[in-house]
Amino acid sequence: MTIQYLFLVHFLLHFTSLIKSDPEPLHDYCVAETKNSQNIFLNSVPCINPDHTLATHFSTSALSEPGSMNQFDFNVTLSNVNNLPGLNTLGLTMARLDIAANGLVPPHSHPRASEVTILLEGSLLVGFVDTSNRLYTQRLRPGDSFVFPKGLIHFLYNTGISSPALAVSGLSSQNPGAQVSSLAAFASHPAMPDDVLRKGFKMNGQDVARIRRNLGG
Ligand SMILES: *[C@@H]1O[C@H](CO)[C@@H](O)[C@H](O)[C@H]1NC(C)=O
C-alpha cells in the first residue's frame, strides 16, 4: 500500500464519519423506556424489552393540535421519546410549525440535524445562511418544500398579513436541538458580558440593554 492510498482511506473514513447523523440502530427498533428513570446519564435512552412493545409506542397525536404562541408569534411542537417512544434510535424528529400572520421563527440553528419542511397552509419566506454568509431564500406556497442543511442558521417568516401558516418538518436526529441566535446572544443565563455584546455587535450599552429587555433577557 502506498502512502497516498493510506491517506485516501483515512480521508474517506473520516469523511463518512462526518456525514453520519445519529448512529445506525442495531435492532429493528428500540422503543424508549422513559418510565423507569435511573439517576444516571446515558447518551441515549434505554429501550423497552421488545416482548413488551405495543403498536401505540409507534403512534402519537402530539402533533394534532397547535401549541400556544410565543413572543415571536409561532409555536413548534416536536415528537420526542416521551410522546413517540418508538422513534428512539431511529434518527428522526417530526415537527409541527404554526406561525401566526406576520409571525417569525427567528434565525436559529439545529446543531444535530438537517431539516426538510413542507408548507401545508399559508405562505412563508424561508432561508438559510451558509458558513460563507451566503443567503439562500425562497417564497413557499402550500405544497412546496425547502431543506435547511444541518447546523446552518435559518428562518421561516409568515409574510401573510391575515392568514396563519402551517408547516411540517422532518429532522434528521431524535434530539436536533435548537439555538435561537438573538436569544443565545442577548437572553443567556447568566448574561453575556455587556462588553462582548457591545464589541461583537458594534453597538452601545443602551442598545444592549434595550435588546435584552425586548427579548425578555
Ligand atoms: C408550543 O406550545 C406548547 C404547548 O402549548 C408549549 O409547551 C411550548 O413551549 C411551545 N413552544 C414554542 C417553541 O413556542
Side-chain angles (χ1 to χ4, degrees), residues 67-70 74-77:
S68 47
M69 294 292 158
N70 60 17
F74 78 89
N75 186 277
V76 178
T77 313

Side-chain angles (χ1 to χ4, degrees), residues 20 28 60 71 100 108 129 146 152 192 200 206:
K20 259 190 208 146
D28 287 357
T60 184
Q71 62 170 329
H108 67 283
V129 179
F146 194 79
L152 298 184
M192 240 185 239
Q206 273 114 48

Side-chain angles (χ1 to χ4, degrees), residues 38-61:
Q38 292 132 324
N39 193 19
I40 50 171
F41 182 83
L42 287 173
N43 190 26
S44 63
V45 180
C47 332
I48 285 176
N49 180 332
D51 295 344
H52 303 146
T53 52
L54 304 168
T56 52
H57 289 139
F58 298 91
S59 163
T60 184
S61 303

Side-chain angles (χ1 to χ4, degrees), residues 117-138:
T117 298
I118 181 164
L119 180 64
L120 301 179
E121 292 169 17
S123 83
L124 284 183
L125 180 70
V126 299
F128 70 86
V129 179
D130 73 10
T131 56
S132 66
N133 286 338
R134 178 168 172 193
L135 174 71
Y136 293 81
T137 179
Q138 282 286 298

Side-chain angles (χ1 to χ4, degrees), residues 115-182:
E115 173 174 3
V116 58
T117 298
I118 181 164
L119 180 64
L120 301 179
E121 292 169 17
S123 83
L124 284 183
L125 180 70
V126 299
F128 70 86
V129 179
D130 73 10
T131 56
S132 66
N133 286 338
R134 178 168 172 193
L135 174 71
Y136 293 81
T137 179
Q138 282 286 298
R139 201 167 280 283
L140 304 185
R141 302 277 166 230
D144 292 345
S145 293
F146 194 79
V147 68
F148 305 102
K150 181 175 179 172
L152 298 184
I153 292 178
H154 59 283
F155 62 84
L156 302 97
Y157 178 34
N158 182 357
T159 48
I161 41 170
S162 56
S163 22
L166 172 62
V168 171
S169 283
L171 294 113
S172 63
S173 166
Q174 76 179 48
N175 188 17
Q179 191 164 41
V180 176
S181 310
S182 56

